[in-house]
Structure formats: C-alpha cells, structure tokens
C-alpha cells in the first residue's frame, strides 16, 4: 500500500472528535448529577446506547465485572451495619498499631473497602485508631485479587497477557509483598 492509503486507513480508524466530546460531556454530567440516581441512570443508558451504536470506536464494555463490583459495594452498605455486634468489641479492644497490622493482614483475604466501611460504623474510636485502620487497609490493598473491588475488573482486562489466561495467586502475592512493605513503612513512619 502507498502512504496515502495508510494515511486514509489511519484516519478511518480514528475516533471521531464528536464521539470523544460526547464521552467527556457524559462524564461531566455524571459527576454533576452524582446525587440524583434517576439522572445518572438516564445518562448511563445514553452511554450504553452510544457504546452499542459505535463499537468500532471503543473498547468492549466489561459490564459483568462492573456489576459484580457494584453489587458487592451495594451489599456492603445494606448489610454492613449488621456487623457491628462482633466488630465493635474486637476493634475497641485493639491498640492502634495492632489495628494497623490486623487491617494489613485482612486485606489479603477481604476487600479493603469493606474493612474501612465497617470501621467507619464504629462510634467513639480514637483518631489514631481510625488512621491505623485506614492505613493498614490501604497498604495491604494489593496483596490479592480480592483485596480491592476493582481488581477483578483489572484481572479480566489483563489475563490474556498471562500464560494460559490465568493469574497466579502465589506470584501475585509475591509481586505485591515489596510494594506493600514500602507502603506500610511509609504510612507508619511518615
């Protein structure tokens, strides 16, 4: 092919500026209407319609993973308050440093948003204890795929780049240990 043909093909592959502008306008409208669910749902349906109408100009939507994250967080808000009966006595009896290491370890097997949300339900814990709870959850948030709600969506996007399309849990844990240690040290020392 000639250079003119290659330039014509590249121009045909470019996303139209009007579509890019519409995406930015929808994003701004979602942010502006964050506390109005009916408006948000209308904007979301408009976005889904655009994605369906112009699939050649955008990546495939990962709706299944996004819905799983949404259901998890919705369930956390609905059912989280019912966990105070066992959580309050346990957290109130811990020193802040122990709370940090407890949250750091728990984020390897549970979601850090769940830990911090449940911690926010406990009335009367000290400011240092609040900091240590959040710092531990943040520092350990990448130890496993389930440690952070968006991680499954990331795995769904990246798994094709791994051998056999699977992510090794052990390799992920080993790869996260050093960054976790650096983050934990920084949050404790700084």
């Amino acid at each position: 092919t000639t250079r003119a043909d290659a330039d014509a093909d590249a121009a045909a592959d470019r996303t139209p500026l009007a579509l890019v502008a519409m995406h930015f306008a929808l994003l701004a409208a979602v942010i502006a209407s964050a506390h109005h669910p009916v408006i948000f749902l209308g904007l979301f349906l408009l976005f889904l319609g655009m994605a369906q109408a112009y699939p050649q100009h955008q990546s495939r939507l990962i709706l299944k993973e996004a819905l799983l994250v949404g259901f998890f967080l919705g369930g956390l808000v609905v059912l989280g308050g019912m966990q105070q009966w066992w959580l309050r006595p346990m957290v109130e009896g811990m020193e802040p440093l122990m709370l940090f290491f407890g949250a750091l370890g728990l984020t390897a097997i549970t979601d850090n948003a769940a830990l911090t949300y449940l911690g926010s339900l406990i009335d009367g814990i000290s400011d240092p204890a609040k900091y240590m709870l959040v710092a531990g959850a943040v520092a350990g948030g990448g130890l496993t795929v389930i440690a952070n709600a968006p991680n499954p969506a990331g795995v769904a996007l990246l798994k094709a780049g791994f051998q056999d399309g699977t992510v090794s849990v052990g390799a992920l844990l080993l790869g996260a240990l050093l960054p976790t240690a650096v983050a934990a040290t920084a949050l404790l020392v700084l």
Side-chain angles (χ1 to χ4, degrees), residues 29-138:
V30 164
I31 292 168
S33 65
H35 299 288
H36 305 284
V38 173
I39 295 172
F40 167 79
L41 285 174
L43 293 168
F44 181 61
L45 290 173
L46 181 59
F47 167 76
L48 289 177
M50 284 177 40
Q52 186 68 30
Y54 302 102
Q56 69 274 22
H57 295 299
Q58 48 210 335
S59 301
R60 179 185 72 81
L61 298 179
I62 52 171
L63 291 177
K64 178 181 74 171
E65 293 84 355
L67 284 172
L68 289 172
V69 170
F71 285 133
F72 168 79
L73 294 173
L76 180 64
V77 170
V78 170
L79 302 172
M82 298 176 200
Q83 306 303 315
Q84 286 186 345
W85 68 271
W86 66 270
L87 189 65
R88 179 186 305 247
M90 186 174 71
V91 171
E92 286 176 345
M94 297 175 104
E95 293 296 320
L97 189 61
M98 186 65 187
L99 192 57
F100 175 83
F101 287 111
L104 182 73
L106 281 173
T107 57
I109 58 171
T110 189
D111 185 84
N112 56 9
L115 286 174
T116 54
Y117 176 72
L118 292 173
S120 74
L121 297 176
I122 301 171
D123 295 326
I125 69 172
S126 68
D127 286 342
K130 289 177 188 175
Y131 173 82
M132 290 298 199
L133 175 67
V134 172
V138 168

